[in-house]
Amino acid sequence: MVKKFSLHNVNNCRLANVFDYAAKLNEKNYFFHTFLFYKNICYQKKKKISIFLTYPNRYKRNIDELDNNLYFLLKNNIKILNQMAERNGLNQIIKHNISNKKMCNNINKNIEDKNSTDKNDLNVNNENKSDEKKNMDDIIDLELSDIWSKKTLLVNYKNNIFEIILNRPDKLNALNKDMVTGLLNMIKSLDNDKRCHMIVLRSINTTSFSSGSDVKAIIENKEKGLMHLRQLYLYINYLSKFKKNFLCIWNGYVMGGGLGISMYSKHRVIHKNVIFAMPENKIGFFPDIGSCYFFKKYFGRNIGLHLGLTSLKLNEADLMNFKVCTNYIENIDLFLNELKNIKKNNLNDFNNEYHKILSKYPLKDCNVTPVLTEELVSNINKYYNSANNLEELISKLKKDNNDFCKKLLSDINNNCYFSCRFWFSYFLYNYDKTLEDILDNDYKISQYFLYHTKTFETGVTEILAKKNKSFQWNKVEEIKYMEMENIEDILMNKNFLSIKDEFV
C-alpha cells in the first residue's frame, strides 16, 4: 500500500534547489532514485513542482521529516547560512552571495502544529524554537560540510579580488562533488556582485593544481558521481561565458577535471613544472570536460587525437608553443601581491591596471625541451592524417613498424582498447560542434560509461583503488562493448539525460 506526498507547497522554489536538498536530506536509496527520476522529468518539461511522490507506509516518518526540513531550509536560509559563515570565519562577501543565491523567494506555506513525543519528529510550534534551530543547523551542515567545515575550498577577498584556493593537497586536489558545486555557486554569485572585479583560482601548493575529479568517489556512488559530472559540465558552460576577469594559476599536475575548472578561464597563467594531460583512456573512461573542443582549438585534428588516445603528458614549453596558456610566471607570491595591490574600486581603472600587470608576464622561453618536438609532430601528422578510425591507424603503424609506430602501438595496448577506439570516433564526431553540444554529449556518454560498460569501474578499481601494477586490459572482453552501439545511437538514446536546457 502506498500514500502520496505532495510537494506543491514549495512550488515557487527552483527545482534544482528543492531536489538537491531532498536528495541530501534522506539516506535511503529508494528515495534518492525517486527524487532523481522526478527531478529530471521536471527539468526537461520545465514545470514547477506540482507532482506527487508515492511511498510505502513504513516510510511515513521519513517523508514527514523531509516535508518540514524543506520548509525550514527555504524559509530560514539567510539566517542559518550567516550563522554557518560566522562559525567558519568566512568573509562577508561569501555570506552575502551564497545566502542570496540559495534563497528561494515567495514561499507561502502553512504548517499544522504537531504535538508528538517522538524525538525524530520536528515540531514547528513557537515553544519549540530551539529544536527547530537545531534541525535547521543540521540541514545546512549537510549541504555545506565538505566545502566549508573541511575547508576543501579556501577563500580570500581583498581589493575587489576574490581568490579561491583548492585545498585538498593529500589527494592532489582531486575534485569531489561538493567542491564542484561550491565553485559553481560562487562564480554564479560573484558574476553579479559589483564588488568583485576578478576571480583568481589556484592551488594551496606548488606540486598540483588539480589531478582531476575524484573518480574513486564517482565509482563508489554512481548516482552522486553522475551529479558530480553534471555540476562540472554546468560549471564549464557557465565559466566559458563568464563576464568578469577570471584567472587561474597552473602548477604541477593539471589533469582531467582540473582542466575542466580552469581551461575556459580568460587568463591561464602557468608556473614551472606543469604537467598537462587527459589520462582517462588509461582507466577505461573517455576524455570529457569538453576536450573535443579545446583539443581542436589549440592542437588541431591530429595532435588532438593523439593526446586523447595516448594520455600524453605535456609540459610548460608545449603549453606556451601552442598558446594554451596566456602568461608565464616564475614567482607566484610576487604575482599575487601585484594583483592585490591594484586598489581600484572603479572597474575600468581596475581593468587597466590588471592588464598592465599581465603584460609584464608574457610567454617566453623557459629552457625546457617540449614533449611535442618537431619530429614527433611530423610523425603524428603522417600517420593520423588519413586515418578515419583506430583500426586504420593501427594498420598503418603495423605496416611501417618504426620506433614511433612501436611506441604508439605500445601506448594503445597499455590503455583501455575500448576507450581508445571510442575516443577516436567521438573526437571526429564532435569536431565541428559547439562547446554546449559537446558538453551535453559528454554528459550522455558519461552515463553510458557509468551504467552500460564495466571498463570505467574496472579501471578505477584495479589501477587507482587496488593499485594493481600487474593489471592488464582484456581486449577480447572489451570488444563486446564495441559491437553494441555506435556513438550516434548512444547519443540519440532517450534513456540518457540531457543538460542542454540548463545551460546559460
Side-chain angles (χ1 to χ4, degrees):
M1 180 179 179
V2 298
K3 290 189 176 182
K4 291 184 177 181
F5 164 70
S6 173
L7 292 177
H8 69 276
N9 287 322
V10 287
N11 62 1
N12 288 317
C13 305
R14 291 179 66 247
L15 285 171
N17 284 346
V18 173
F19 280 104
D20 284 347
Y21 294 148
K24 281 181 173 292
L25 288 170
N26 68 88
E27 298 177 352
K28 295 185 181 295
N29 287 336
Y30 175 89
F31 292 127
F32 184 86
H33 286 293
T34 307
F35 276 117
L36 191 63
F37 173 75
Y38 277 121
K39 171 182 176 180
N40 288 308
I41 288 179
C42 289
Y43 272 147
Q44 293 174 2
K45 294 183 179 179
K46 297 183 178 179
K47 289 183 178 180
K48 292 184 177 180
I49 299 175
S50 58
I51 61 172
F52 287 90
L53 169 68
T54 59
Y55 65 97
N57 269 336
R58 63 182 180 276
Y59 291 139
K60 184 177 186 302
R61 177 183 298 170
N62 301 78
I63 290 295
D64 288 342
E65 290 178 2
L66 178 60
D67 186 9
N68 287 330
N69 284 344
L70 282 172
Y71 170 70
F72 291 146
L73 181 63
L74 300 170
K75 182 179 180 182
N76 298 280
N77 225 326
I78 285 184
K79 180 176 68 175
I80 300 303
L81 279 164
N82 283 344
Q83 292 171 355
M84 279 291 295
E86 290 169 3
R87 187 161 70 234
N88 289 286
L90 300 179
N91 192 291
Q92 180 64 32
I93 192 171
I94 286 291
K95 292 191 290 184
H96 165 78
N97 283 290
I98 291 183
S99 297
N100 285 346
K101 200 66 184 178
K102 285 183 174 287
M103 182 181 180
C104 298
N105 298 320
N106 303 321
I107 304 297
N108 296 310
K109 182 175 174 67
N110 295 317
I111 297 181
E112 296 180 0
D113 290 343
K114 295 181 180 180
N115 296 308
S116 173
T117 57
D118 193 322
K119 64 179 180 181
N120 292 318
D121 288 341
L122 296 175
N123 196 319
V124 296
N125 290 325
N126 290 333
E127 62 190 38
N128 290 311
K129 285 184 178 179
S130 61
D131 289 339
E132 177 182 325
K133 178 182 180 300
K134 180 179 183 301
N135 281 297
M136 288 188 291
D137 280 339
D138 290 340
I139 295 166
I140 299 302
D141 282 337
L142 282 171
E143 180 66 12
L144 300 176
S145 60
D146 280 345
I147 302 173
W148 307 122
S149 298
K150 295 182 181 178
K151 299 187 183 298
T152 50
L153 293 177
L154 303 179
V155 293
N156 293 315
Y157 175 64
K158 182 179 180 181
N159 296 337
N160 304 106
I161 296 177
F162 191 85
E163 186 179 25
I164 306 173
I165 305 171
L166 305 176
N167 184 34
R168 210 181 176 203
D170 56 321
K171 300 291 185 180
L172 297 178
N173 288 330
L175 304 168
N176 58 31
K177 174 181 171 291
D178 295 285
M179 292 172 73
V180 174
T181 301
L183 287 169
L184 177 60
N185 288 340
M186 278 191 276
I187 67 169
K188 282 185 175 181
S189 297
L190 294 169
D191 202 13
N192 297 311
D193 194 309
K194 294 181 179 179
R195 296 170 296 171
C196 176
H197 294 342
M198 75 171 294
I199 297 176
V200 175
L201 178 63
R202 67 178 181 90
S203 167
I204 190 69
N205 56 31
T206 59
T207 57
S208 177
F209 173 78
S210 174
S211 60
S213 291
D214 190 342
V215 290
K216 287 192 285 187
I218 291 175
I219 289 300
E220 286 170 2
N221 189 321
K222 292 182 180 180
E223 287 82 2
K224 288 186 178 180
L226 185 59
M227 293 176 70
H228 167 120
L229 294 172
R230 170 184 167 274
Q231 295 292 84
L232 179 59
Y233 302 150
L234 291 176
Y235 168 91
I236 291 171
N237 169 256
Y238 200 96
L239 180 59
S240 69
K241 300 177 182 179
F242 195 67
K243 294 176 290 186
K244 296 185 177 180
N245 297 310
F246 195 110
L247 179 145
C248 64
I249 300 176
W250 284 348
N251 50 272
Y253 292 107
V254 187
M255 298 180 175
L259 283 172
I261 63 171
S262 57
M263 188 69 204
Y264 303 90
S265 58
K266 287 185 179 179
H267 297 103
R268 297 169 299 282
V269 177
I270 62 169
H271 189 233
K272 56 187 177 181
N273 301 324
V274 172
I275 301 173
F276 173 108
M278 288 296 295
E280 283 71 17
N281 283 344
K282 286 185 177 295
I283 56 172
F285 198 48
F286 74 104
D288 60 334
I289 54 107
S291 297
C292 296
Y293 182 84
F294 67 77
F295 274 168
K296 175 196 173 183
K297 179 178 180 179
Y298 294 104
F299 300 102
R301 177 190 186 274
N302 297 333
I303 298 177
L305 278 169
H306 186 74
L307 294 178
L309 194 66
T310 62
S311 307
L312 186 66
K313 296 177 181 177
L314 304 183
N315 59 29
E316 56 264 40
D318 297 301
L319 301 184
M320 287 192 282
N321 289 343
F322 286 87
K323 304 295 188 294
V324 178
C325 55
T326 57
N327 302 85
Y328 177 81
I329 59 174
E330 294 182 351
N331 189 314
I332 294 177
D333 292 333
L334 178 63
F335 177 69
L336 288 173
N337 285 336
E338 286 192 69
L339 291 179
K340 292 175 182 178
N341 285 323
I342 292 178
K343 297 180 181 179
K344 299 289 184 181
N345 290 325
N346 179 273
L347 180 58
N348 290 331
D349 293 340
F350 180 94
N351 286 339
N352 289 335
E353 293 297 318
Y354 170 57
H355 286 98
K356 285 181 183 178
I357 293 174
L358 287 181
S359 66
K360 294 165 56 178
Y361 298 93
L363 302 179
K364 64 177 184 178
D365 185 0
C366 57
N367 297 319
V368 175
T369 302
V371 176
L372 290 170
T373 61
E374 290 185 9
E375 181 183 2
L376 178 57
V377 171
S378 176
N379 279 320
I380 289 172
N381 288 329
K382 176 182 177 181
Y383 288 95
Y384 282 86
N385 201 43
S386 58
N388 295 312
N389 54 56
L390 185 61
E391 287 75 14
E392 290 182 10
L393 175 64
I394 290 175
S395 177
K396 292 182 179 183
L397 297 174
K398 289 181 177 179
K399 182 179 179 180
D400 286 5
N401 201 32
N402 55 37
D403 289 342
F404 171 81
C405 296
K406 291 177 181 177
K407 177 66 167 62
L408 182 50
L409 285 170
S410 175
D411 289 339
I412 294 171
N413 289 331
N414 289 332
N415 286 352
C416 172
Y417 187 80
F418 171 67
S419 293
C420 290
R421 188 175 185 269
F422 184 91
W423 163 250
F424 204 111
S425 300
Y426 187 64
F427 180 76
L428 297 181
Y429 178 87
N430 285 311
Y431 196 70
D432 293 320
K433 289 184 168 47
T434 65
L435 177 59
E436 286 188 357
D437 288 335
I438 293 171
L439 289 173
D440 190 49
N441 289 343
D442 283 354
Y443 184 57
K444 292 177 181 178
I445 298 301
S446 296
Q447 296 168 63
Y448 177 72
F449 271 85
L450 277 172
Y451 295 106
H452 292 266
T453 76
K454 293 184 179 179
T455 58
F456 187 27
E457 183 174 356
T458 299
V460 171
T461 302
E462 294 294 333
I463 298 172
L464 299 180
K466 294 182 179 180
K467 300 187 184 302
N468 184 357
K469 294 183 179 181
S470 62
F471 172 73
Q472 293 289 327
W473 287 103
N474 187 336
K475 184 176 178 180
V476 176
E477 185 71 19
E478 296 169 51
I479 288 177
K480 293 190 304 183
Y481 303 120
M482 303 176 197
E483 298 172 349
M484 292 172 60
E485 298 172 285
N486 62 39
I487 290 172
E488 193 158 5
D489 289 337
I490 296 171
L491 295 175
M492 295 299 291
N493 190 329
K494 294 182 180 180
N495 291 321
F496 292 129
L497 305 173
S498 170
I499 54 172
K500 196 167 185 179
D501 290 342
E502 299 177 58
F503 290 151
V504 293

